[in-house]
Amino acid sequence: MKHLMKTRRTIIAGNWKMFKTVNEAEALVKGLLLELPDVSSIDVVLCPPFTALSRVADLVSNTSIRVGAQDMHWEKEGAFTGEISATMLRDVYCRYVILGHSERRQLFGETNESVNRKAKAALSASLRPIVCVGETLDEREKKDFRAIITRQVKESLAGIPAEQAEEIVVAYEPVWAIGTGRNATPAQAQEVHALIRTSLVALFGDKYAGNMRIQYGGSVKPNNAAELLGQPDIDGALVGGASLEARAFTAIIKAGL
Ligand code: PGA
């Protein structure tokens, strides 16, 4: 489906989470390369686990598909056992990095402040951050979830120069929709995307905020992708479960072409 009104380039990313050994990753990428049509009119990004980055980057090196990591540390190097730096990710041909995914926020203590440090470090290393925000079910039902999302955006992106803003992708992922099969309706998602765009305008000004991509994530599937991607402020999708299967991910990418 062509979205003639949109000037922003669609970005569809697959977040593989802690799935796929190197050999499994290779099989998935080979399957994708067989299924996919020419996708050079949009940005397609694969985010395998760290251990498979190098092999996946190698397999897609002659295509327009790009590779991203799922997290990183903000320091360049040092005594930080278990961590990976932006430079190391660039070294294995990463172009993107997911930051502040709700699983990292909920299970591993990620905060807006740490996401902010990581986003700045990523940009300094020419990695494009995909900065995730989103409310929990409890926050949607009991609290002012709009204020929570606005705060996540403002704090996660504080102090970043406006000239760098277009390199940043924001992903709106309502936590209640992740891995649950329960996606936000296109109208619910569009409402929050418009709210996020307003926060981005406040941070970076109209010109830059207007060019920033905002992805939706949370149970994006072949049967709901086109409608979600058809919303005026939804510029792409961050896909978990359905990105682990070549046919399903291909169908979602095709909905964005
Ligand atoms: P899901 O995950 O598509 O499996 O809901 C999305 C995400 O966590 O990025």
Side-chain angles (χ1 to χ4, degrees):
M1 189 196 287
K2 262 264 165 293
H3 308 296
L4 293 173
M5 302 298 289
K6 284 192 192 167
T7 51
R8 295 177 290 269
R9 198 174 152 89
T10 300
I11 173 165
I12 311 279
N15 172 13
W16 294 8
K17 307 192 179 183
M18 198 171 75
F19 292 100
K20 306 289 180 190
T21 62
V22 175
N23 284 340
E24 289 165 352
E26 177 161 342
L28 175 54
V29 174
K30 286 185 171 163
L32 273 174
L33 294 177
L34 283 176
E35 297 271 337
L36 281 175
D38 176 12
V39 295
S40 55
S41 61
I42 64 170
D43 291 331
V44 173
V45 184
L46 305 179
C47 304
F50 290 128
T51 46
L53 283 171
S54 194
R55 180 79 66 93
V56 171
D58 216 31
L59 287 163
V60 300
S61 60
N62 291 325
T63 76
S64 63
I65 298 171
R66 298 286 178 255
V67 173
Q70 299 172 19
D71 189 24
M72 54 168 258
H73 194 267
W74 57 77
E75 293 289 349
K76 287 196 173 74
E77 61 181 7
F80 302 103
T81 301
E83 295 293 334
I84 301 271
S85 72
T87 317
M88 292 167 185
L89 296 179
R90 288 285 303 174
D91 192 39
V92 290
Y93 305 103
C94 276
R95 302 288 191 90
Y96 292 82
V97 60
I98 299 170
L99 296 177
H101 188 279
S102 64
E103 286 149 18
R104 303 257 16 126
R105 290 177 186 265
Q106 292 199 309
L107 304 172
F108 302 101
E110 192 83 76
T111 61
N112 293 336
E113 195 205 350
S114 58
V115 172
N116 184 245
R117 294 174 83 162
K118 291 177 180 189
K120 288 173 179 162
L123 289 166
S124 309
S126 302
L127 270 179
R128 292 183 165 164
I130 298 177
V131 174
C132 303
V133 298
E135 80 285 5
T136 63
L137 186 58
D138 190 58
E139 287 165 345
R140 179 162 274 257
E141 285 172 350
K142 299 200 193 117
K143 300 192 185 122
D144 182 1
F145 74 92
R146 293 175 183 84
I148 290 169
I149 288 166
T150 302
R151 187 162 165 205
Q152 286 176 335
V153 173
K154 289 201 167 147
E155 292 184 359
S156 301
L157 302 181
I160 292 174
E163 303 74 49
Q164 291 187 329
E166 289 171 30
E167 300 298 313
I168 301 165
V169 178
V170 176
Y172 169 55
E173 298 207 304
V175 179
W176 46 272
I178 295 177
T180 58
R182 181 182 161 194
N183 63 288
T185 65
Q188 276 176 326
Q190 166 56 29
E191 188 217 331
V192 179
H193 280 234
L195 175 83
I196 291 171
R197 181 118 21 231
T198 306
S199 305
L200 297 175
V201 169
L203 279 171
F204 302 119
D206 273 327
K207 181 172 145 230
Y208 295 111
N211 290 332
M212 291 176 72
R213 277 96 54 88
I214 309 175
Q215 292 177 305
Y216 169 78
S219 297
V220 177
K221 306 287 176 205
N223 64 0
N224 60 24
E227 212 189 337
L228 285 160
L229 292 170
Q231 301 301 306
D233 285 290
I234 300 187
D235 308 309
L238 181 54
V239 186
S243 73
L244 296 171
E245 208 266 304
R247 282 241 156 96
F249 195 48
T250 298
I252 292 168
I253 291 168
K254 282 183 176 167
L257 288 177

